[in-house]
Amino acid sequence: MKSLRYPSKIRVAAILLKNVFTVSKVNDRIVPSGLEGEMLKYLVEKLKLEFELVLPNDGKYGSRDNNGTWNGVIGLVQRGEADIGLATLSITEDRWGIVDFSIPYAIADRVFAVKEPGEMPKVTAFIYPFSQNVWVLYTLMILAATVLFQRMMLRRATFLASFLSVLGSVVSQAMENVRETPWRRVLLGLWMTIASVMPFLYNTSFLSYLTMPEKVPIPRNFEELSKAVLSGKYKCLPTKGTIEKDMLLRSRIDYLVKLGEMIQKNGWEYSYGENFSELLDNPVAIITANSGLKFLLGSPPYITVKVSEDYFGIWNMAIAMKKEFCCRERLNEALYHISSGGLFQKWIDDLSFVDTLHKRLKMKHEEPKLHLTLEDLKLAFFTLFFGYALALLAFLAELMSPKSLDIFHS
């Protein structure tokens, strides 16, 4: 039986990414670092091999071009320009047809991340306690009560007088000139109950909001994100050179397909080399692997993004190998040791800890803010004084108007 001859050096295709795969020169030798850099050092040590780094010119992971050729790391492995590809590659059916894959060493569940929402503007805080539908129904109820009181309850009252009387009862003012009959008292008692309960609910909700302001609504799942993108409120950026856009288009789920079509139409994408804080300052959602967020964006409490509640797919990550790669069994055995020993998760935790420590050292100390300040109550005081001014003008107009002009009694 012919014995297999193992090479002394293998060519490794990779993409230079911060915290994922970086290289430095030490004593004229290339030393990899980062998440997959640590894995490469472990593999070449166990396989007792040297490595030569091959970088794709386009900086892509590997997808099929319009002419049918493969680009990125997968293309280098397929053409034999590299023996293995190491770039957090996901196993897909199309890729498996042209290259081989090792056993999986991690899972990539695709989620999206958006900037942590800020507080809702306090200029219009007085409308937040009730939803839009409640405000509409409450307004219609006041108008209906105005007509009912003007026709059945108040003596010789005009529509304006009835409206002011009903509106005054909402803000705890007494109602005058009410006709005294048993059934009218029941009707009046019912209305006064409503006029007391609704302001109470409003006041408690309003104070709760001022104490703990609500956050600006953001998409929580892919269905909400798709609607936000279609309405022009958000952009959605997949990772440059990955299969995320193709997976959305082929998902057979209506809102995911529409999301993929919008991404394809506008040519949206991002790379890991970009500044995420600047990228997410706009209404932007980035699609990435949930496991990658920890060392790309940091760990709580220094992470400033909100992750989606769902994901649109889960893929196994593995090392791409050219067909008939000689060291397949030895490579898989080394990867099995990495997975079973928890080394990959340890490397993620180590990188995340270092990144979090750097952010903590750069963070400036800030004095804690009070929950409720005078600035928060500025709008309430402005509304109060504005109401007093209107009341004063109405009082002066009533004093100065001719007695023959009576707009409150018919």
Side-chain angles (χ1 to χ4, degrees), residues 101-170:
F101 281 97
S102 66
I103 62 173
Y105 59 84
I107 292 176
D109 47 345
R110 297 296 178 181
V111 297
F112 70 84
V114 295
K115 186 177 180 180
E116 186 77 26
E119 296 179 358
M120 296 181 69
K122 295 178 181 178
V123 177
T124 55
F126 60 90
I127 68 172
Y128 296 153
F130 293 155
S131 65
Q132 183 179 359
N133 292 337
V134 173
W135 278 117
V136 171
L137 292 175
Y138 195 24
T139 303
L140 294 176
M141 184 176 62
I142 290 176
L143 294 177
T146 298
V147 176
L148 184 64
F149 273 58
Q150 192 261 338
R151 296 289 181 89
M152 303 175 59
M153 299 290 295
L154 300 177
R155 297 189 183 96
R156 300 175 55 245
T158 62
F159 183 81
L160 178 60
S162 178
F163 174 74
L164 293 177
S165 183
V166 170
L167 197 61
S169 66
V170 173

Side-chain angles (χ1 to χ4, degrees), residues 2 45-46 78 89 102 125 145 164 205 240 267 282 291 294 318 337:
K2 187 177 180 180
E45 179 183 350
K46 292 299 180 182
Q78 183 229 0
L89 297 171
S102 66
L164 293 177
S205 299
K240 181 180 179 181
N282 300 316
S291 57
K294 196 170 184 179
H337 292 161

Side-chain angles (χ1 to χ4, degrees), residues 6-64:
Y6 293 101
S8 60
K9 179 184 290 188
I10 59 173
R11 294 165 296 174
V12 179
I15 299 176
L16 297 179
L17 294 173
K18 180 184 176 183
N19 291 338
V20 179
F21 192 92
T22 56
V23 293
S24 57
K25 269 197 171 183
V26 179
N27 298 328
D28 295 329
R29 293 187 61 186
I30 295 178
V31 178
S33 57
L35 177 62
E36 298 219 333
E38 294 295 330
M39 185 164 64
L40 178 60
K41 286 193 293 185
Y42 180 90
L43 291 175
V44 295
E45 179 183 350
K46 292 299 180 182
L47 271 61
K48 296 180 173 56
L49 295 173
E50 298 291 331
F51 73 92
E52 176 186 349
L53 192 61
V54 182
L55 302 177
N57 296 327
D58 50 21
K60 295 182 177 181
Y61 296 85
S63 57
R64 197 187 299 271

Side-chain angles (χ1 to χ4, degrees), residues 110-348:
R110 297 296 178 181
V111 297
F112 70 84
V114 295
K115 186 177 180 180
E116 186 77 26
E119 296 179 358
M120 296 181 69
K122 295 178 181 178
V123 177
T124 55
F126 60 90
I127 68 172
Y128 296 153
F130 293 155
S131 65
Q132 183 179 359
N133 292 337
V134 173
W135 278 117
V136 171
L137 292 175
Y138 195 24
T139 303
L140 294 176
M141 184 176 62
I142 290 176
L143 294 177
T146 298
V147 176
L148 184 64
F149 273 58
Q150 192 261 338
R151 296 289 181 89
M152 303 175 59
M153 299 290 295
L154 300 177
R155 297 189 183 96
R156 300 175 55 245
T158 62
F159 183 81
L160 178 60
S162 178
F163 174 74
L164 293 177
S165 183
V166 170
L167 197 61
S169 66
V170 173
V171 292
S172 304
Q173 298 297 314
M175 298 186 70
E176 299 179 351
N177 298 323
V178 178
R179 297 176 181 176
E180 295 287 343
T181 60
W183 69 270
R184 286 190 175 94
R185 290 175 184 172
V186 174
L187 184 61
L188 178 62
L190 178 62
W191 170 250
M192 295 306 295
T193 302
I194 296 173
S196 300
V197 171
M198 292 300 291
F200 173 77
L201 296 176
Y202 175 86
N203 290 334
T204 53
S205 299
F206 184 66
L207 290 175
S208 298
Y209 170 79
L210 291 179
T211 306
M212 297 293 292
E214 293 184 6
K215 300 290 186 178
V216 176
I218 58 172
R220 296 172 298 175
N221 50 54
F222 275 93
E223 186 173 5
E224 292 182 2
L225 176 63
S226 179
K227 293 178 181 177
V229 170
L230 291 174
S231 63
K233 296 178 180 178
Y234 265 83
K235 290 182 180 179
C236 182
L237 311 180
T239 313
K240 181 180 179 181
T242 60
I243 58 173
E244 293 166 347
K245 180 185 66 178
D246 295 334
M247 292 295 101
L248 287 170
L249 292 172
R250 291 155 54 181
S251 65
R252 298 182 182 179
I253 301 175
D254 184 56
Y255 58 85
L256 291 180
V257 173
K258 290 180 179 178
L259 182 61
E261 290 172 350
M262 287 294 293
I263 293 172
Q264 186 177 48
K265 177 182 176 182
N266 294 280
W268 290 334
E269 61 182 10
Y270 78 99
S271 65
Y272 285 129
E274 297 185 50
N275 189 326
F276 286 97
S277 59
E278 295 180 0
L279 184 66
L280 293 171
D281 275 343
N282 300 316
V284 169
I286 60 172
I287 298 178
T288 184
N290 194 19
S291 57
L293 286 172
K294 196 170 184 179
F295 59 89
L296 288 174
L297 302 178
S299 303
Y302 307 103
I303 190 170
T304 57
V305 300
K306 200 77 173 177
V307 183
S308 62
E309 298 174 354
D310 62 348
Y311 42 84
F312 79 89
I314 298 178
W315 289 270
N316 290 313
M317 290 192 299
I319 296 176
M321 303 179 293
K322 69 178 182 180
K323 297 291 184 178
E324 300 179 357
F325 178 55
C326 62
C327 310
R328 180 194 313 271
E329 292 184 4
R330 294 167 62 188
L331 180 66
N332 283 334
E333 183 180 357
L335 285 175
Y336 177 76
H337 292 161
I338 290 174
S339 299
S340 59
L343 289 178
F344 193 78
Q345 186 61 45
K346 178 184 179 300
W347 294 329
I348 291 179

Side-chain angles (χ1 to χ4, degrees), residues 335-372:
L335 285 175
Y336 177 76
H337 292 161
I338 290 174
S339 299
S340 59
L343 289 178
F344 193 78
Q345 186 61 45
K346 178 184 179 300
W347 294 329
I348 291 179
D349 294 338
D350 290 346
L351 287 168
S352 177
F353 174 76
V354 172
D355 185 68
T356 301
L357 186 61
H358 288 164
K359 290 181 179 180
R360 183 174 182 178
L361 293 174
K362 293 178 182 178
M363 182 174 290
K364 297 180 180 179
H365 175 71
E366 295 182 359
E367 292 293 335
K369 296 181 179 179
L370 297 175
H371 287 296
L372 192 60

